[in-house]
Amino acid sequence: MSEMVERVTEIGDELAAWLLTCWVDVSNPGGAGRALLDGLTDLARADGLDFLHLSYRDGMGLGRFYESCGFSEVGRIPGAIRVAPGDDRDSVLMTHKL
């Protein structure tokens, strides 16, 4: 888990971690993304964490997926990710209370 999750802060008495980088091959659907997030959530709880945080590039249809996995949008950084010249996307910040 240490390669994918970084403990970054304490919020009061609660520990929070950032989900760093993970992805699955969307050309082969079948629940791998949900299984990955469920497994990471279980590991984070077992490690005593209280929150997971992540960010994603807007415009990829990921918001509903992350919400269905228990994450909530808490902010955006407008135009933070340049995909191509003239194509800047928001970085969407999400958190999951474990």
Side-chain angles (χ1 to χ4, degrees):
M1 183 163 120
S2 62
E3 296 171 7
M4 297 178 83
V5 175
E6 177 182 330
R7 192 171 292 162
V8 294
T9 189
E10 291 184 23
I11 303 171
D13 294 331
E14 298 177 325
L15 296 175
W18 275 93
L19 177 58
L20 296 177
T21 302
C22 72
W23 59 86
V24 297
D25 182 357
V26 296
S27 67
N28 187 14
R34 183 169 306 280
L36 179 63
L37 279 180
D38 288 347
L40 285 171
T41 300
D42 291 344
L43 288 171
R45 280 190 185 108
D47 201 29
L49 298 176
D50 300 297
F51 289 91
L52 282 176
H53 305 297
L54 62 82
S55 65
Y56 69 90
R57 180 178 76 200
D58 195 24
M60 300 181 64
L62 293 171
R64 283 184 280 162
F65 168 72
Y66 286 126
E67 287 173 355
S68 75
C69 293
F71 286 84
S72 300
E73 183 177 327
V74 294
R76 287 176 176 258
I77 304 171
I81 301 169
R82 175 151 295 160
V83 177
D87 186 5
D88 296 338
R89 309 276 177 92
D90 293 355
S91 178
V92 181
L93 310 173
M94 300 193 88
T95 192
H96 180 23
K97 173 88 169 122
L98 302 175

